[in-house]
Amino acid sequence: GNLDQRVEVKGNDEIARLSIAFNNMNEKINLMDRERRQFVADASHELKSPLASIKVLVQSLLAGGINDKNISMEFLDNIDKEIDRLSNIVGNLLELTKLDGSYGLKIEVFDLNDLCKDVIKKINPIASTRNVTIRYEGKSILIEGNRDNIFRAIYNIVENSVKYSNPNSYVDVWTHKGSKAKIYIKDTGIGIPEEDIPRIFERFYRVDKTRDRKTGGSGLGLSITNEIIKRHKGEIHVKSKVGEGSLFIITLPYKFEG
Ligand code: ADP
């Protein structure tokens, strides 16, 4: 584009300083532009794969598969699953876009303890299909922030812990009131390889693509969580060992200073 020109002004007067500020700003815009393009490219790629599967399945039905009751049922079932995948991706994309643009976030005071209980209540039905028990311990902690967003952030991590843990196991969630508020989410599941830990918060990043085909993950959950926690000036730390499990720690300031 026409944004890649730099302004070179020699000397040390105000105009020279202005040109430096201008060049820095220009670089930032270019980087944002590249990231945006990459994001659109990645998103299109992610949407293409379920669409391609649906196309093949429909064509096989049209080519005669429809005459066989068992085949039709199996293919329709697969189409149904691919549509779920698509809506999952589109839903997450919409959420990310909304986060990008929401400058006037509604900030309220709420109890983190109640929020964690609500998150667990919502995930319990998913957990029970895997025979996973979520245990919770915590006292009342009042914090400032956008409750819906924090709900989503914690929900994504607890959902992962349930999704990536072994059947018949426990997921532990607890909170701590120190100089900041902390939420701990621990599972004894498959764990995350050390080299992947820094990357799991990237958009569309999955540790094992084949594994996640089954669980239907979009690879967007943790990037949404990361975006929300960053916006609340908080931090996320991960400790994990393959085959032993993972511990996610979210740190949040009590006051919102966004
Ligand atoms: P997904 O929709 O695939 O779960 P996320 O952004 O939520 O995407 O997570 C990114 C990747 O990080 C997942 O695909 C998975 O490989 C890994 N991951 C996240 N949480 C856990 C966990 N508790 N245990 C093991 N792996 C995890």
Side-chain angles (χ1 to χ4, degrees), residues 160-161 163-164 187 190-192 200 205-208 211-212 217-223 246 248:
N160 278 346
S161 297
K163 224 163 61 174
Y164 299 113
D187 67 66
I190 58 173
I192 307 161
I200 56 172
Y205 192 81
R206 305 185 193 91
V207 172
D208 181 346
R211 183 184 78 202
D212 291 319
S218 66
L220 287 171
L222 285 182
S223 59
S246 312
F248 283 75

PDB file of all heavy atoms in Angstrom, residues 160-161 163-164 187 190-192 200 205-208 211-212 217-223 246 248, ligand 1:
ATOM      1  N   ASN A 160     -12.018 -26.261  28.715  1.00  0.00           N
ATOM      2  CA  ASN A 160     -10.839 -26.988  28.221  1.00  0.00           C
ATOM      3  C   ASN A 160     -10.391 -28.046  29.223  1.00  0.00           C
ATOM      4  O   ASN A 160     -10.075 -29.170  28.843  1.00  0.00           O
ATOM      5  CB  ASN A 160      -9.676 -26.016  27.985  1.00  0.00           C
ATOM      6  CG  ASN A 160      -9.796 -25.305  26.646  1.00  0.00           C
ATOM      7  OD1 ASN A 160     -10.576 -25.700  25.802  1.00  0.00           O
ATOM      8  ND2 ASN A 160      -9.021 -24.252  26.482  1.00  0.00           N
ATOM      9  N   SER A 161     -10.349 -27.679  30.504  1.00  0.00           N
ATOM     10  CA  SER A 161      -9.898 -28.625  31.516  1.00  0.00           C
ATOM     11  C   SER A 161     -10.776 -29.872  31.529  1.00  0.00           C
ATOM     12  O   SER A 161     -10.289 -30.978  31.710  1.00  0.00           O
ATOM     13  CB  SER A 161      -9.920 -27.977  32.904  1.00  0.00           C
ATOM     14  OG  SER A 161      -9.022 -26.915  32.920  1.00  0.00           O
ATOM     15  N   LYS A 163     -12.605 -30.848  28.866  1.00  0.00           N
ATOM     16  CA  LYS A 163     -12.459 -31.447  27.539  1.00  0.00           C
ATOM     17  C   LYS A 163     -11.179 -32.262  27.412  1.00  0.00           C
ATOM     18  O   LYS A 163     -11.151 -33.314  26.793  1.00  0.00           O
ATOM     19  CB  LYS A 163     -12.404 -30.308  26.516  1.00  0.00           C
ATOM     20  CG  LYS A 163     -13.218 -30.517  25.271  1.00  0.00           C
ATOM     21  CD  LYS A 163     -13.461 -29.212  24.491  1.00  0.00           C
ATOM     22  CE  LYS A 163     -12.237 -28.508  23.997  1.00  0.00           C
ATOM     23  NZ  LYS A 163     -12.533 -27.336  23.137  1.00  0.00           N
ATOM     24  N   TYR A 164     -10.085 -31.750  27.987  1.00  0.00           N
ATOM     25  CA  TYR A 164      -8.796 -32.396  27.809  1.00  0.00           C
ATOM     26  C   TYR A 164      -8.381 -33.230  29.020  1.00  0.00           C
ATOM     27  O   TYR A 164      -7.221 -33.572  29.180  1.00  0.00           O
ATOM     28  CB  TYR A 164      -7.721 -31.351  27.487  1.00  0.00           C
ATOM     29  CG  TYR A 164      -8.019 -30.610  26.197  1.00  0.00           C
ATOM     30  CD1 TYR A 164      -8.337 -29.257  26.192  1.00  0.00           C
ATOM     31  CD2 TYR A 164      -8.013 -31.286  24.976  1.00  0.00           C
ATOM     32  CE1 TYR A 164      -8.627 -28.588  25.012  1.00  0.00           C
ATOM     33  CE2 TYR A 164      -8.308 -30.636  23.790  1.00  0.00           C
ATOM     34  CZ  TYR A 164      -8.612 -29.278  23.821  1.00  0.00           C
ATOM     35  OH  TYR A 164      -8.904 -28.636  22.648  1.00  0.00           O
ATOM     36  N   ASP A 187      -6.419 -29.499  36.098  1.00  0.00           N
ATOM     37  CA  ASP A 187      -6.914 -30.809  35.666  1.00  0.00           C
ATOM     38  C   ASP A 187      -5.782 -31.817  35.699  1.00  0.00           C
ATOM     39  O   ASP A 187      -4.611 -31.453  35.794  1.00  0.00           O
ATOM     40  CB  ASP A 187      -7.520 -30.715  34.252  1.00  0.00           C
ATOM     41  CG  ASP A 187      -6.493 -30.410  33.180  1.00  0.00           C
ATOM     42  OD1 ASP A 187      -5.615 -31.261  32.929  1.00  0.00           O
ATOM     43  OD2 ASP A 187      -6.559 -29.311  32.579  1.00  0.00           O
ATOM     44  N   ILE A 190      -4.444 -34.651  29.741  1.00  0.00           N
ATOM     45  CA  ILE A 190      -3.354 -34.992  28.815  1.00  0.00           C
ATOM     46  C   ILE A 190      -2.154 -34.057  28.908  1.00  0.00           C
ATOM     47  O   ILE A 190      -1.068 -34.405  28.505  1.00  0.00           O
ATOM     48  CB  ILE A 190      -3.854 -35.023  27.352  1.00  0.00           C
ATOM     49  CG1 ILE A 190      -4.467 -33.678  26.958  1.00  0.00           C
ATOM     50  CG2 ILE A 190      -4.851 -36.137  27.149  1.00  0.00           C
ATOM     51  CD1 ILE A 190      -4.819 -33.601  25.490  1.00  0.00           C
ATOM     52  N   GLY A 191      -2.349 -32.832  29.414  1.00  0.00           N
ATOM     53  CA  GLY A 191      -1.233 -31.896  29.529  1.00  0.00           C
ATOM     54  C   GLY A 191      -0.849 -31.253  28.204  1.00  0.00           C
ATOM     55  O   GLY A 191      -1.367 -31.623  27.142  1.00  0.00           O
ATOM     56  N   ILE A 192       0.049 -30.288  28.266  1.00  0.00           N
ATOM     57  CA  ILE A 192       0.470 -29.529  27.078  1.00  0.00           C
ATOM     58  C   ILE A 192       1.989 -29.574  26.980  1.00  0.00           C
ATOM     59  O   ILE A 192       2.681 -29.277  27.955  1.00  0.00           O
ATOM     60  CB  ILE A 192       0.013 -28.053  27.181  1.00  0.00           C
ATOM     61  CG1 ILE A 192      -1.490 -27.979  27.461  1.00  0.00           C
ATOM     62  CG2 ILE A 192       0.368 -27.276  25.915  1.00  0.00           C
ATOM     63  CD1 ILE A 192      -1.945 -26.642  28.013  1.00  0.00           C
ATOM     64  N   ILE A 200      -0.439 -21.510  22.823  1.00  0.00           N
ATOM     65  CA  ILE A 200      -1.858 -21.889  22.912  1.00  0.00           C
ATOM     66  C   ILE A 200      -2.809 -20.698  22.965  1.00  0.00           C
ATOM     67  O   ILE A 200      -3.995 -20.855  22.744  1.00  0.00           O
ATOM     68  CB  ILE A 200      -2.139 -22.844  24.111  1.00  0.00           C
ATOM     69  CG1 ILE A 200      -1.664 -22.224  25.414  1.00  0.00           C
ATOM     70  CG2 ILE A 200      -1.521 -24.212  23.877  1.00  0.00           C
ATOM     71  CD1 ILE A 200      -2.084 -23.021  26.644  1.00  0.00           C
ATOM     72  N   TYR A 205      -4.621 -21.657  17.207  1.00  0.00           N
ATOM     73  CA  TYR A 205      -3.573 -22.619  17.526  1.00  0.00           C
ATOM     74  C   TYR A 205      -4.132 -23.808  18.315  1.00  0.00           C
ATOM     75  O   TYR A 205      -4.828 -23.651  19.302  1.00  0.00           O
ATOM     76  CB  TYR A 205      -2.444 -21.964  18.330  1.00  0.00           C
ATOM     77  CG  TYR A 205      -1.237 -22.872  18.411  1.00  0.00           C
ATOM     78  CD1 TYR A 205      -0.348 -22.949  17.354  1.00  0.00           C
ATOM     79  CD2 TYR A 205      -1.025 -23.677  19.523  1.00  0.00           C
ATOM     80  CE1 TYR A 205       0.739 -23.802  17.405  1.00  0.00           C
ATOM     81  CE2 TYR A 205       0.068 -24.534  19.575  1.00  0.00           C
ATOM     82  CZ  TYR A 205       0.939 -24.596  18.516  1.00  0.00           C
ATOM     83  OH  TYR A 205       2.009 -25.444  18.569  1.00  0.00           O
ATOM     84  N   ARG A 206      -3.838 -25.009  17.814  1.00  0.00           N
ATOM     85  CA  ARG A 206      -4.184 -26.228  18.546  1.00  0.00           C
ATOM     86  C   ARG A 206      -2.924 -27.065  18.665  1.00  0.00           C
ATOM     87  O   ARG A 206      -2.132 -27.132  17.740  1.00  0.00           O
ATOM     88  CB  ARG A 206      -5.219 -27.057  17.775  1.00  0.00           C
ATOM     89  CG  ARG A 206      -6.476 -26.306  17.412  1.00  0.00           C
ATOM     90  CD  ARG A 206      -7.441 -27.289  16.759  1.00  0.00           C
ATOM     91  NE  ARG A 206      -8.539 -26.594  16.116  1.00  0.00           N
ATOM     92  CZ  ARG A 206      -8.533 -26.207  14.856  1.00  0.00           C
ATOM     93  NH1 ARG A 206      -7.474 -26.456  14.101  1.00  0.00           N
ATOM     94  NH2 ARG A 206      -9.556 -25.590  14.344  1.00  0.00           N
ATOM     95  N   VAL A 207      -2.779 -27.724  19.785  1.00  0.00           N
ATOM     96  CA  VAL A 207      -1.585 -28.538  19.976  1.00  0.00           C
ATOM     97  C   VAL A 207      -1.611 -29.707  18.996  1.00  0.00           C
ATOM     98  O   VAL A 207      -0.646 -29.976  18.311  1.00  0.00           O
ATOM     99  CB  VAL A 207      -1.499 -29.056  21.432  1.00  0.00           C
ATOM    100  CG1 VAL A 207      -0.366 -30.067  21.579  1.00  0.00           C
ATOM    101  CG2 VAL A 207      -1.299 -27.866  22.379  1.00  0.00           C
ATOM    102  N   ASP A 208      -2.739 -30.366  18.920  1.00  0.00           N
ATOM    103  CA  ASP A 208      -2.852 -31.550  18.068  1.00  0.00           C
ATOM    104  C   ASP A 208      -4.121 -31.438  17.235  1.00  0.00           C
ATOM    105  O   ASP A 208      -5.224 -31.582  17.733  1.00  0.00           O
ATOM    106  CB  ASP A 208      -2.889 -32.801  18.951  1.00  0.00           C
ATOM    107  CG  ASP A 208      -2.991 -34.061  18.124  1.00  0.00           C
ATOM    108  OD1 ASP A 208      -3.299 -33.965  16.908  1.00  0.00           O
ATOM    109  OD2 ASP A 208      -2.771 -35.140  18.680  1.00  0.00           O
ATOM    110  N   ARG A 211      -6.433 -34.533  17.140  1.00  0.00           N
ATOM    111  CA  ARG A 211      -7.136 -34.775  18.391  1.00  0.00           C
ATOM    112  C   ARG A 211      -8.344 -33.847  18.523  1.00  0.00           C
ATOM    113  O   ARG A 211      -9.408 -34.235  18.959  1.00  0.00           O
ATOM    114  CB  ARG A 211      -6.173 -34.533  19.554  1.00  0.00           C
ATOM    115  CG  ARG A 211      -6.767 -34.813  20.903  1.00  0.00           C
ATOM    116  CD  ARG A 211      -5.797 -34.469  22.001  1.00  0.00           C
ATOM    117  NE  ARG A 211      -5.730 -33.053  22.252  1.00  0.00           N
ATOM    118  CZ  ARG A 211      -4.714 -32.445  22.823  1.00  0.00           C
ATOM    119  NH1 ARG A 211      -3.665 -33.124  23.164  1.00  0.00           N
ATOM    120  NH2 ARG A 211      -4.732 -31.155  23.022  1.00  0.00           N
ATOM    121  N   ASP A 212      -8.145 -32.599  18.067  1.00  0.00           N
ATOM    122  CA  ASP A 212      -9.213 -31.630  18.288  1.00  0.00           C
ATOM    123  C   ASP A 212     -10.353 -31.734  17.276  1.00  0.00           C
ATOM    124  O   ASP A 212     -11.421 -31.186  17.488  1.00  0.00           O
ATOM    125  CB  ASP A 212      -8.637 -30.228  18.305  1.00  0.00           C
ATOM    126  CG  ASP A 212      -7.793 -30.045  19.549  1.00  0.00           C
ATOM    127  OD1 ASP A 212      -8.216 -30.521  20.603  1.00  0.00           O
ATOM    128  OD2 ASP A 212      -6.719 -29.467  19.436  1.00  0.00           O
ATOM    129  N   GLY A 217     -12.948 -28.388  18.686  1.00  0.00           N
ATOM    130  CA  GLY A 217     -12.428 -27.089  19.100  1.00  0.00           C
ATOM    131  C   GLY A 217     -12.074 -26.223  17.903  1.00  0.00           C
ATOM    132  O   GLY A 217     -11.693 -26.718  16.849  1.00  0.00           O
ATOM    133  N   SER A 218     -12.221 -24.909  18.065  1.00  0.00           N
ATOM    134  CA  SER A 218     -11.897 -23.987  16.980  1.00  0.00           C
ATOM    135  C   SER A 218     -10.496 -23.404  17.155  1.00  0.00           C
ATOM    136  O   SER A 218      -9.979 -22.744  16.273  1.00  0.00           O
ATOM    137  CB  SER A 218     -12.912 -22.850  16.944  1.00  0.00           C
ATOM    138  OG  SER A 218     -12.785 -22.073  18.116  1.00  0.00           O
ATOM    139  N   GLY A 219      -9.887 -23.643  18.313  1.00  0.00           N
ATOM    140  CA  GLY A 219      -8.583 -23.049  18.568  1.00  0.00           C
ATOM    141  C   GLY A 219      -8.686 -21.564  18.871  1.00  0.00           C
ATOM    142  O   GLY A 219      -7.692 -20.850  18.860  1.00  0.00           O
ATOM    143  N   LEU A 220      -9.888 -21.082  19.145  1.00  0.00           N
ATOM    144  CA  LEU A 220     -10.082 -19.647  19.411  1.00  0.00           C
ATOM    145  C   LEU A 220     -10.364 -19.350  20.877  1.00  0.00           C
ATOM    146  O   LEU A 220     -10.239 -18.215  21.322  1.00  0.00           O
ATOM    147  CB  LEU A 220     -11.231 -19.101  18.554  1.00  0.00           C
ATOM    148  CG  LEU A 220     -10.941 -18.925  17.066  1.00  0.00           C
ATOM    149  CD1 LEU A 220     -12.221 -18.602  16.306  1.00  0.00           C
ATOM    150  CD2 LEU A 220      -9.909 -17.824  16.844  1.00  0.00           C
ATOM    151  N   GLY A 221     -10.759 -20.386  21.623  1.00  0.00           N
ATOM    152  CA  GLY A 221     -11.191 -20.188  23.005  1.00  0.00           C
ATOM    153  C   GLY A 221     -10.180 -19.424  23.855  1.00  0.00           C
ATOM    154  O   GLY A 221     -10.504 -18.422  24.489  1.00  0.00           O
ATOM    155  N   LEU A 222      -8.929 -19.900  23.835  1.00  0.00           N
ATOM    156  CA  LEU A 222      -7.919 -19.274  24.696  1.00  0.00           C
ATOM    157  C   LEU A 222      -7.503 -17.899  24.195  1.00  0.00           C
ATOM    158  O   LEU A 222      -7.072 -17.057  24.976  1.00  0.00           O
ATOM    159  CB  LEU A 222      -6.698 -20.182  24.834  1.00  0.00           C
ATOM    160  CG  LEU A 222      -6.879 -21.393  25.754  1.00  0.00           C
ATOM    161  CD1 LEU A 222      -5.585 -22.191  25.853  1.00  0.00           C
ATOM    162  CD2 LEU A 222      -7.337 -20.970  27.138  1.00  0.00           C
ATOM    163  N   SER A 223      -7.630 -17.648  22.876  1.00  0.00           N
ATOM    164  CA  SER A 223      -7.282 -16.302  22.402  1.00  0.00           C
ATOM    165  C   SER A 223      -8.358 -15.310  22.841  1.00  0.00           C
ATOM    166  O   SER A 223      -8.056 -14.149  23.132  1.00  0.00           O
ATOM    167  CB  SER A 223      -7.057 -16.269  20.891  1.00  0.00           C
ATOM    168  OG  SER A 223      -8.194 -16.690  20.200  1.00  0.00           O
ATOM    169  N   SER A 246      -2.707 -30.016  33.717  1.00  0.00           N
ATOM    170  CA  SER A 246      -2.412 -28.602  33.540  1.00  0.00           C
ATOM    171  C   SER A 246      -2.999 -27.788  34.675  1.00  0.00           C
ATOM    172  O   SER A 246      -4.025 -28.134  35.254  1.00  0.00           O
ATOM    173  CB  SER A 246      -3.004 -28.093  32.220  1.00  0.00           C
ATOM    174  OG  SER A 246      -2.688 -28.946  31.154  1.00  0.00           O
ATOM    175  N   PHE A 248      -3.974 -23.718  35.185  1.00  0.00           N
ATOM    176  CA  PHE A 248      -4.086 -22.358  34.647  1.00  0.00           C
ATOM    177  C   PHE A 248      -4.333 -21.413  35.819  1.00  0.00           C
ATOM    178  O   PHE A 248      -5.180 -21.690  36.670  1.00  0.00           O
ATOM    179  CB  PHE A 248      -5.255 -22.253  33.646  1.00  0.00           C
ATOM    180  CG  PHE A 248      -4.943 -22.838  32.294  1.00  0.00           C
ATOM    181  CD1 PHE A 248      -4.913 -24.212  32.098  1.00  0.00           C
ATOM    182  CD2 PHE A 248      -4.679 -22.004  31.217  1.00  0.00           C
ATOM    183  CE1 PHE A 248      -4.617 -24.757  30.857  1.00  0.00           C
ATOM    184  CE2 PHE A 248      -4.386 -22.538  29.955  1.00  0.00           C
ATOM    185  CZ  PHE A 248      -4.362 -23.915  29.775  1.00  0.00           C
TER     186      PHE A 248
HETATM  187  P1  ADP B   1      -9.779 -25.369  21.316  1.00  0.00           P
HETATM  188  O1  ADP B   1     -11.066 -24.822  20.814  1.00  0.00           O
HETATM  189  O2  ADP B   1      -9.049 -26.208  20.292  1.00  0.00           O
HETATM  190  O3  ADP B   1      -9.875 -26.029  22.648  1.00  0.00           O
HETATM  191  P2  ADP B   1      -8.321 -23.265  22.700  1.00  0.00           P
HETATM  192  O4  ADP B   1      -7.858 -21.937  22.190  1.00  0.00           O
HETATM  193  O5  ADP B   1      -9.311 -23.267  23.794  1.00  0.00           O
HETATM  194  O6  ADP B   1      -8.841 -24.069  21.441  1.00  0.00           O
HETATM  195  O7  ADP B   1      -7.044 -24.070  23.168  1.00  0.00           O
HETATM  196  C1  ADP B   1      -5.911 -24.164  22.304  1.00  0.00           C
HETATM  197  C2  ADP B   1      -5.231 -25.509  22.454  1.00  0.00           C
HETATM  198  O8  ADP B   1      -4.581 -25.608  23.718  1.00  0.00           O
HETATM  199  C3  ADP B   1      -6.202 -26.689  22.409  1.00  0.00           C
HETATM  200  O9  ADP B   1      -6.453 -27.092  21.099  1.00  0.00           O
HETATM  201  C4  ADP B   1      -5.438 -27.758  23.198  1.00  0.00           C
HETATM  202  O10 ADP B   1      -4.543 -28.417  22.337  1.00  0.00           O
HETATM  203  C5  ADP B   1      -4.615 -26.952  24.206  1.00  0.00           C
HETATM  204  N1  ADP B   1      -5.215 -26.944  25.560  1.00  0.00           N
HETATM  205  C6  ADP B   1      -5.931 -25.949  26.118  1.00  0.00           C
HETATM  206  N2  ADP B   1      -6.295 -26.237  27.390  1.00  0.00           N
HETATM  207  C7  ADP B   1      -5.791 -27.464  27.657  1.00  0.00           C
HETATM  208  C8  ADP B   1      -5.804 -28.329  28.802  1.00  0.00           C
HETATM  209  N3  ADP B   1      -6.427 -27.998  29.937  1.00  0.00           N
HETATM  210  N4  ADP B   1      -5.156 -29.530  28.685  1.00  0.00           N
HETATM  211  C9  ADP B   1      -4.528 -29.864  27.559  1.00  0.00           C
HETATM  212  N5  ADP B   1      -4.474 -29.110  26.445  1.00  0.00           N
HETATM  213  C10 ADP B   1      -5.087 -27.922  26.486  1.00  0.00           C
END
